Amino acid sequence: MNISYPDHVSIVDVSPRDGLQNESMIVPTAVKQALITDLIDAGIKKLEATSFVSPKWVPQMGDNGALLEALAPSRQSDICYSVLVPNMRGFDNAIVHRPDEIVIFGSASETFSQKNINCSIDESIERFAPVAAAAKAQGIKVRGVISCTVGCPYEGEIDPSQVAYVTKRLVEIGSEQIGIADTIGVGTPLKVQRVLQAALEYADIAMLSGHFHDTYGQALSNTLAALQMGVSEFDTSVAGLGGCPYAKGATGNVATEDVVYMLHGMGISTGIDLEKLVIAGERISAFLGRANGSNVAHALINKRQS
């Protein structure tokens, strides 16, 4: 079978935001800053730094402004610092710090939308419309992420037509990138490809990115399936950190180290130094007092110690 893979893949490391938001402990700002510095040193060019949500609901992100202030003196023009914003209040708080990109989010599941942000899918899109417009007016990129594209903890399997619909709505309000997220990690390769095909009704392949959780060990397989369709940007999380506080049973994101190892083994460039990436994962895992969730990290660490 002759498949044309992309020559280069962009990695968006989401560990500072999506990776840490589900931790029970509050991670100090200085530790988050060190994690971001380590990721950039490893070659990461795009990352989710934080989110401007209410600390009442996600206390782990309560230092959002302080973190961006701490990063400001060393911010690099070739690094895209993204922040997630849920509404205009969040945008107004974020804009002070001039993020390079804002992330808005919808769900392909009506029930998940209600449980997560207390409104319907259509209501959520209407809520995000002024946020996207305000960002674009100030020259800030807008990325839309669709959660529960393959399965939902409340509704079960999701019809791909729902993904097509939410893609259409997000594109209409100005999203320049659409993230296809398997929030609870129940996807398998053919299901992921069907979802991507549905999104392609309203978005070019260059606009689509993949965000896969590894609950059932399918994240790398799903990444490969997306690559086969021409997707060239993926959200990953160093050391496999992450989950979703509103999706019971959702385990970590696919580990950045594992995805980079696979891509490099396929001859696809990422611009990332794998050894430095492993070190970044080791440091944050040690602070959290947990095992590194990357298979590649385990192998390289054992090789280093032997």
Side-chain angles (χ1 to χ4, degrees), residues 26-149:
I26 301 297
V27 179
T29 302
V31 174
K32 295 177 182 177
Q33 182 182 4
L35 170 60
I36 290 171
T37 299
D38 283 347
L39 292 173
I40 292 172
D41 184 54
I44 295 291
K45 294 295 184 182
K46 188 173 183 179
L47 53 87
E48 283 190 5
T50 188
S51 62
F52 282 81
V53 296
S54 169
K56 175 183 176 182
W57 300 113
V58 188
Q60 296 87 344
M61 299 291 109
D63 65 342
N64 42 39
L67 175 61
L68 292 182
E69 286 180 12
L71 291 168
S74 60
R75 273 183 66 168
Q76 302 175 31
S77 60
D78 63 336
I79 306 297
C80 180
Y81 298 80
S82 300
V83 300
L84 183 144
V85 295
N87 48 39
M88 278 304 299
R89 174 180 288 185
F91 177 80
D92 290 339
N93 291 334
I95 195 63
V96 176
H97 306 283
R98 296 301 302 176
D100 299 297
E101 178 183 72
I102 62 110
V103 181
I104 57 178
F105 51 92
S107 174
S109 161
E110 283 287 358
T111 307
F112 188 81
S113 184
Q114 291 286 354
K115 296 280 188 179
N116 189 8
I117 53 178
N118 300 310
C119 65
S120 70
I121 292 172
D122 284 329
E123 288 169 339
S124 73
I125 302 298
E126 294 306 316
R127 183 183 298 175
F128 288 127
V131 176
K136 292 173 80 70
Q138 299 205 37
I140 296 173
K141 298 176 183 176
V142 178
R143 178 158 56 102
V145 175
I146 308 175
S147 60
C148 295
T149 59

Side-chain angles (χ1 to χ4, degrees), residues 214-299:
D214 209 28
T215 311
Y216 290 91
Q218 298 296 297
L220 279 178
S221 299
N222 293 337
T223 300
L224 181 61
L227 279 168
Q228 290 173 347
M229 293 189 68
V231 175
S232 61
E233 181 172 292
F234 294 91
D235 294 353
T236 64
S237 181
V238 74
L241 297 178
C244 178
Y246 300 100
K248 185 178 180 180
T251 56
N253 296 284
V254 65
T256 309
E257 301 95 316
D258 293 348
V259 173
V260 169
Y261 179 84
M262 181 182 78
L263 292 172
H264 289 183
M266 296 172 66
I268 300 172
S269 70
T270 64
I272 295 171
D273 183 316
L274 185 57
E275 183 64 33
K276 288 184 176 180
L277 191 64
V278 168
I279 292 171
E282 282 184 275
R283 287 176 177 169
I284 189 62
S285 296
F287 176 82
L288 295 172
R290 58 184 288 175
N292 190 306
S294 161
N295 292 315
V296 167
H298 294 162

